[in-house]
Amino acid sequence: GIIMILDLTTMLTPDHPMIAWAKTKENPHIAMGHVGTHLDTYEKTKIPLEYFRSRGVLFQVVGIGEVTEADIDLTKVQAGDFVLFRTGRSEEYAYGEKEYFPNHPKLSLSLIEKLVEKQIHFIGVDCPGIREHEEHQQADRFCERHGVYVIENLKNLSGITSETFTVYTMWLEDAQMTGLRCRVLAEMK
């Protein structure tokens, strides 16, 4: 069978408005880790290397403001999975447009807990986060303390057409950064 590789990464050019935004911050180095596709690591835990390859599970949740367990089939989720939520936000607005950020789709707190209980590797979203405002960092920290990492600002989730696929995630460790920019690829057979 033919293997297809799909890049799920939001890549930024040097003149992207979000790069300019990061440069205005008190600590531009740390801010840079939170632009484009990145994983949040506020607790600075060591991400296990075997997380680089995960079985992928994609849930179509376009049009749902707050995704709950009732909206998806949790029986499809296994330990070690990279669970992706296609909210459609990155298809509706380009990353960095002002409409991209406010009132973005989110996951309910109980759904986040259920995903963490399943001992997955990653939760991935094509929007700015799994929660909003002060709950954003709290949710990311909760996940990280349980060995689950949240990856934000993915794109091209509409291109995943296969029920079973593998997700490859690459990141660079950084002792100071609370967000690690990463590359995320889906491999479909």
Side-chain angles (χ1 to χ4, degrees), residues 25-43:
K25 292 300 172 208
E26 189 180 334
N27 191 326
H29 176 68
I30 288 177
M32 278 298 181
H34 289 274
V35 297
T37 298
H38 67 278
L39 69 86
D40 281 331
T41 170
Y42 293 104
E43 303 276 327

Side-chain angles (χ1 to χ4, degrees), residues 154-169:
L154 292 166
K155 67 174 200 178
N156 296 334
L157 297 188
S158 61
I160 299 173
T161 52
S162 175
E163 183 74 23
T164 55
F165 58 98
T166 303
V167 184
Y168 295 91
T169 308

